[in-house]
Amino acid sequence: ILTASLPQERGGNNSFTHEALTLKYKLDNQFELVFVVGFQKILTLTYVDKLIDDVHKEFRDKYRNEFQQKGALGLLNGTFDFKDDFMRLLRDAEESSKVRAPTVMKTFEQSLKSQKTVKCMIETRGEKPKEKVKNKKNKGSKKDGAEAVAAPSKASAGDKQLSVAGDKEELTKDEILQKNREEFFRRHMKAGEKSRSPKPDAQKEKGKKPRVWDLGNSNAKVLDYSNSATNGSAEACPVEEFDPDVAVGDKNREPGRLYDLEYESDDEAEEEKVVQNPSKPSVKKGGLGGMFGMLKGLVGSKSLTREDMDPVLEKMKDHLIAKNVAAEIAVQLCESVAKKLEGKVMGTFTTVTSTVKQALQEALVQILQPQRRVDVLRDVMDAQRHRRPYVVTFCGVNGVGKSTNLAKISFWLIENGFSVLIAACDTFRAGAVEQLRTHTRRLNALHPPESHGGRTMVQLYEKGYGKDAAGIAMEAISYARNQGFDVVLVDTAGRMQDNAPLMTALAKLIAVNAPDLVLFVGEALVGNEAVDQLVKFNKALADHSMAQTPRLIDGIVLTKFDTIDDKVGAAISMTYITSKPIVFVGTGQTYCDLRSLNAKAVVAALMKA
């Protein structure tokens, strides 16, 4: 039964219900494995998805070598000692669902109302009601102070008026007029002196002063790189003192951990409207007829047709395009959902809108889940066992944040205990080498050699400008192998996908050096352009490569994710075109603003109205 229900295309449902049982399954396309969990239909188990994901990851990592050597079919008759691991994962999943305890209502003694007396609740005529004290304590203290100051001033004014009245009886009219004028001028002179008194203090320091930026250095010798010892070599950059909190960002993070991307969706129940067939005019037949018509539209009494789904799919397509999904991909997604749902019998009390929306949401989650999972830390440790550096090459168009996110990934690798050599292969853009040198100084300041047994955790390998990028990358990899570096991160120049000479140079760099991982860096702000960039980058790497099996893009780094709010369609466009996973997501400017993709969080943002 399960085999017949497995989806034949991406975006299918991962559950199957038969009588009183429900089965949920997950496919592993790389090793041809199926993970199945079964439970009673009436039970509401919130941890099933987490359990099947954890079992998939644990089982795959534990028996990875056996699958690579013999294959899944060669191990059909074998046994797997996985019972203890499964029970541990099951206990962890059950405990995670019990973390949030239900909120307990306060008793009357714990409430603020119990502290009030009956006397304070009685209001008498002629008295002003008392102001609320909650959240206004500071304002109340200011008012009390103002009233205390105002009281003596009024008293002194009253005394002055009495004395003036007594003098007026003895003075003539001219003398009284003259005295009033003097008093008037005296008051205005005092007010003018009070208003002009702050000005001399503000004007004491004259002249323009140079602005001092955060993380800046006023010493000109430190800023002079004309005779730098690191230019043209791979020596360690000097350690510079600065505020680490500004560069790192989050103080409460766990060092070395790559957090999942989060999105807070509004859990508000949306009222679904029943979609009626526009070709047939609606006829009102009284209140009773309207009620039966509504029930007829809700109860699953017929199978879905294309005419029923077209109005909903049209709205869904416009919604996806508004969320930055490429128009061509939005059309293909809606067409795939329509083919999947056509002829399906709707469930009881289920609307067309909710059925189409649920199917589209499942298809989007399936697209974002990679067919091949990229585990960088595991691959780096595998390269360590073979005593060679793990090489990662970054490529992409101009201005998408390749160097910045390369520095973030360097920081993440260093916090996991790996040494990094940065190869400055962008020999075209002015300031590219200096930018990487600055990042290297900052990273060495955050992780000085004293904290790692005297070992310098990050170095820069550069040969200046105007040189062959492929040659610099080859020399950097050789230097890293001799010096015992764990990872080599190769930064390349930004280039447009239509520039044939630059694309040929990139294909040459990748073909000659054969990196372990080729990452395409793309920004989350693009829409239709994402499709064009990825298709032409892959095509150029295939056309300009000398090998029979050309090396293409292995994964994606999605940058500037903090600038798009809920317009996350670029993630769908990129993964749909290449079928490659999004390995890293850049969410800010500090070194810890790096996340791993959470498919459900992205889909929740995408489906938000």
Coordinates of all heavy atoms in Angstrom, one line a residue, residues 1-38:
I1 N 0.8 -1.2 0.0 CA 0.0 0.0 0.0 C 0.9 1.2 0.0 O 0.6 2.2 -0.7 CB -0.9 0.0 1.2 CG1 -1.9 -1.2 1.2 CG2 -1.8 1.3 1.3 CD1 -2.7 -1.4 2.4
L2 N 1.9 1.2 0.8 CA 2.8 2.4 0.9 C 3.5 2.7 -0.4 O 3.7 3.8 -0.8 CB 3.8 2.2 2.0 CG 4.9 3.3 2.2 CD1 4.2 4.6 2.6 CD2 5.9 2.9 3.3
T3 N 4.0 1.6 -1.1 CA 4.7 1.8 -2.3 C 3.8 2.4 -3.4 O 4.2 3.2 -4.2 CB 5.2 0.4 -2.9 OG1 6.0 -0.2 -1.8 CG2 6.0 0.6 -4.1
A4 N 2.5 2.1 -3.4 CA 1.6 2.7 -4.4 C 1.4 4.1 -4.1 O 1.0 4.9 -5.0 CB 0.3 1.9 -4.4
S5 N 1.5 4.6 -2.8 CA 1.2 5.9 -2.5 C 2.4 6.9 -2.6 O 2.3 8.0 -2.3 CB 0.6 6.0 -1.1 OG 1.6 5.7 -0.1
L6 N 3.6 6.3 -2.8 CA 4.8 7.2 -2.9 C 4.7 8.2 -4.0 O 4.2 7.8 -5.1 CB 6.1 6.3 -3.1 CG 6.5 5.5 -1.9 CD1 7.7 4.7 -2.2 CD2 6.7 6.4 -0.7
P7 N 5.0 9.4 -3.8 CA 4.8 10.4 -4.9 C 5.8 10.2 -6.0 O 7.0 9.9 -5.8 CB 5.1 11.8 -4.1 CG 6.0 11.4 -3.0 CD 5.6 10.0 -2.6
Q8 N 5.3 10.5 -7.2 CA 6.2 10.4 -8.4 C 6.8 11.7 -8.8 O 7.6 11.7 -9.7 CB 5.3 9.8 -9.5 CG 4.7 8.5 -9.3 CD 5.7 7.4 -9.1 OE1 6.8 7.4 -9.7 NE2 5.5 6.5 -8.2
E9 N 6.4 12.8 -8.1 CA 7.0 14.1 -8.5 C 7.2 14.8 -7.2 O 6.7 14.5 -6.1 CB 6.1 14.9 -9.4 CG 4.7 15.2 -8.7 CD 3.8 16.0 -9.7 OE1 4.0 15.9 -10.9 OE2 3.0 16.7 -9.1
R10 N 8.0 15.9 -7.3 CA 8.3 16.7 -6.1 C 7.1 17.4 -5.6 O 6.3 17.9 -6.4 CB 9.5 17.7 -6.4 CG 10.7 17.0 -6.9 CD 11.7 17.9 -7.4 NE 12.3 18.8 -6.2 CZ 13.0 19.8 -6.4 NH1 13.4 20.2 -7.6 NH2 13.5 20.4 -5.4
G11 N 7.0 17.6 -4.3 CA 5.8 18.3 -3.8 C 4.7 17.4 -3.4 O 3.6 17.9 -3.1
G12 N 4.9 16.1 -3.3 CA 3.8 15.2 -2.9 C 3.6 15.1 -1.4 O 4.5 15.6 -0.7
N13 N 2.5 14.5 -1.0 CA 2.2 14.4 0.4 C 3.1 13.3 1.0 O 3.3 12.2 0.4 CB 0.7 14.1 0.6 CG 0.3 14.2 2.1 OD1 1.1 14.7 2.9 ND2 -0.9 13.8 2.4
N14 N 3.6 13.4 2.3 CA 4.4 12.4 2.9 C 3.7 11.6 3.9 O 4.4 11.1 4.8 CB 5.7 13.1 3.5 CG 5.3 14.0 4.6 OD1 4.2 14.5 4.7 ND2 6.3 14.3 5.5
S15 N 2.4 11.5 3.9 CA 1.6 10.7 4.8 C 0.6 9.8 4.1 O 0.2 10.2 3.0 CB 0.9 11.6 5.8 OG 0.0 12.4 5.2
F16 N 0.2 8.7 4.7 CA -0.7 7.8 4.1 C -1.6 7.3 5.3 O -1.1 6.8 6.3 CB 0.0 6.7 3.4 CG -1.0 5.7 2.8 CD1 -1.7 5.9 1.6 CD2 -1.1 4.4 3.4 CE1 -2.5 5.0 1.1 CE2 -2.0 3.5 2.9 CZ -2.7 3.8 1.8
T17 N -2.9 7.3 5.1 CA -3.8 6.8 6.1 C -4.6 5.6 5.6 O -5.1 5.7 4.5 CB -4.8 8.0 6.5 OG1 -4.1 9.1 6.9 CG2 -5.8 7.5 7.6
H18 N -4.6 4.6 6.4 CA -5.3 3.4 6.0 C -6.1 2.9 7.2 O -5.5 2.5 8.2 CB -4.4 2.3 5.5 CG -5.1 1.0 5.2 ND1 -5.9 0.9 4.0 CD2 -5.1 -0.2 5.7 CE1 -6.4 -0.4 4.0 NE2 -5.9 -1.1 5.0
E19 N -7.5 3.0 7.1 CA -8.3 2.6 8.2 C -8.0 3.4 9.5 O -8.0 4.6 9.5 CB -8.3 1.1 8.5 CG -8.9 0.3 7.3 CD -8.9 -1.2 7.5 OE1 -8.3 -1.6 8.5 OE2 -9.4 -1.9 6.6
A20 N -7.5 2.7 10.6 CA -7.2 3.4 11.8 C -5.8 3.7 12.0 O -5.4 4.2 13.0 CB -7.7 2.5 13.0
L21 N -4.9 3.5 11.0 CA -3.5 3.8 11.1 C -3.1 4.9 10.1 O -3.7 5.0 9.1 CB -2.7 2.5 10.8 CG -2.9 1.3 11.8 CD1 -2.0 0.1 11.3 CD2 -2.4 1.7 13.2
T22 N -2.1 5.6 10.5 CA -1.5 6.7 9.7 C 0.0 6.4 9.6 O 0.7 6.1 10.6 CB -1.7 8.0 10.3 OG1 -3.1 8.3 10.4 CG2 -1.0 9.1 9.5
L23 N 0.5 6.4 8.4 CA 1.9 6.3 8.1 C 2.5 7.6 7.6 O 1.9 8.2 6.7 CB 2.2 5.1 7.1 CG 1.7 3.7 7.4 CD1 2.0 2.8 6.3 CD2 2.3 3.2 8.7
K24 N 3.7 7.9 8.1 CA 4.4 9.1 7.6 C 5.8 8.5 7.2 O 6.4 7.7 7.9 CB 4.6 10.2 8.7 CG 3.4 11.0 8.8 CD 3.7 12.4 9.5 CE 2.5 13.3 9.4 NZ 2.8 14.6 9.9
Y25 N 6.3 9.0 6.1 CA 7.5 8.5 5.5 C 8.4 9.7 5.0 O 7.9 10.8 4.7 CB 7.3 7.5 4.4 CG 6.4 8.0 3.3 CD1 6.9 8.7 2.2 CD2 5.0 7.8 3.3 CE1 6.1 9.2 1.2 CE2 4.2 8.3 2.3 CZ 4.8 9.0 1.2 OH 4.0 9.4 0.2
K26 N 9.7 9.4 4.8 CA 10.6 10.3 4.3 C 11.6 9.6 3.4 O 12.1 8.5 3.7 CB 11.4 11.0 5.4 CG 12.3 12.1 4.9 CD 12.9 12.9 6.1 CE 13.8 14.0 5.5 NZ 14.4 14.8 6.6
L27 N 11.8 10.2 2.2 CA 12.7 9.5 1.2 C 14.1 10.1 1.3 O 14.3 11.3 1.5 CB 12.1 9.8 -0.2 CG 10.6 9.4 -0.4 CD1 10.2 9.7 -1.9 CD2 10.5 7.9 -0.2
D28 N 15.1 9.2 1.1 CA 16.5 9.6 0.9 C 16.9 9.2 -0.5 O 17.1 8.0 -0.8 CB 17.3 8.9 2.0 CG 18.7 9.4 2.0 OD1 19.3 9.6 0.9 OD2 19.3 9.7 3.0
N29 N 16.9 10.2 -1.4 CA 17.1 9.9 -2.8 C 18.6 9.5 -3.1 O 18.9 8.7 -4.0 CB 16.8 11.1 -3.7 CG 15.3 11.5 -3.6 OD1 14.5 10.6 -3.5 ND2 15.0 12.7 -3.6
Q30 N 19.5 9.9 -2.3 CA 20.9 9.6 -2.5 C 21.2 8.1 -2.3 O 21.9 7.5 -3.1 CB 21.8 10.5 -1.6 CG 23.3 10.3 -1.9 CD 24.1 11.2 -1.1 OE1 23.6 12.0 -0.3 NE2 25.5 11.2 -1.3
F31 N 20.7 7.5 -1.2 CA 21.0 6.1 -0.9 C 19.8 5.2 -1.1 O 19.8 4.0 -0.8 CB 21.4 6.0 0.5 CG 22.8 6.6 0.8 CD1 22.9 7.6 1.7 CD2 23.9 6.3 0.1 CE1 24.1 8.3 2.0 CE2 25.1 6.9 0.3 CZ 25.2 7.9 1.3
E32 N 18.7 5.8 -1.7 CA 17.5 5.0 -2.0 C 16.9 4.4 -0.8 O 16.6 3.1 -0.7 CB 17.8 4.0 -3.1 CG 18.2 4.6 -4.4 CD 18.5 3.6 -5.5 OE1 18.5 2.4 -5.1 OE2 18.7 3.9 -6.6
L33 N 16.7 5.1 0.3 CA 16.1 4.7 1.5 C 14.8 5.3 1.8 O 14.5 6.4 1.3 CB 17.1 5.0 2.7 CG 18.5 4.5 2.6 CD1 19.3 5.0 3.8 CD2 18.5 2.9 2.7
V34 N 13.9 4.6 2.5 CA 12.6 5.1 2.9 C 12.5 4.9 4.4 O 12.6 3.7 4.9 CB 11.4 4.3 2.2 CG1 10.1 4.9 2.6 CG2 11.6 4.4 0.7
F35 N 12.2 5.9 5.1 CA 12.0 5.9 6.6 C 10.5 6.0 6.9 O 9.9 7.0 6.4 CB 12.8 7.0 7.3 CG 14.3 6.8 7.1 CD1 14.9 7.3 6.0 CD2 15.1 6.2 8.0 CE1 16.3 7.2 5.8 CE2 16.4 6.0 7.9 CZ 17.0 6.6 6.7
V36 N 9.9 5.1 7.6 CA 8.5 5.0 7.8 C 8.2 5.0 9.3 O 8.9 4.3 10.0 CB 7.8 3.8 7.1 CG1 6.3 3.9 7.3 CG2 8.2 3.7 5.7
V37 N 7.2 5.8 9.7 CA 6.8 5.7 11.1 C 5.3 5.6 11.1 O 4.6 6.2 10.3 CB 7.2 7.0 11.9 CG1 6.7 8.2 11.3 CG2 6.7 6.9 13.4
G38 N 4.7 4.6 11.9 CA 3.3 4.4 11.9 C 2.7 4.6 13.3 O 3.4 4.3 14.3

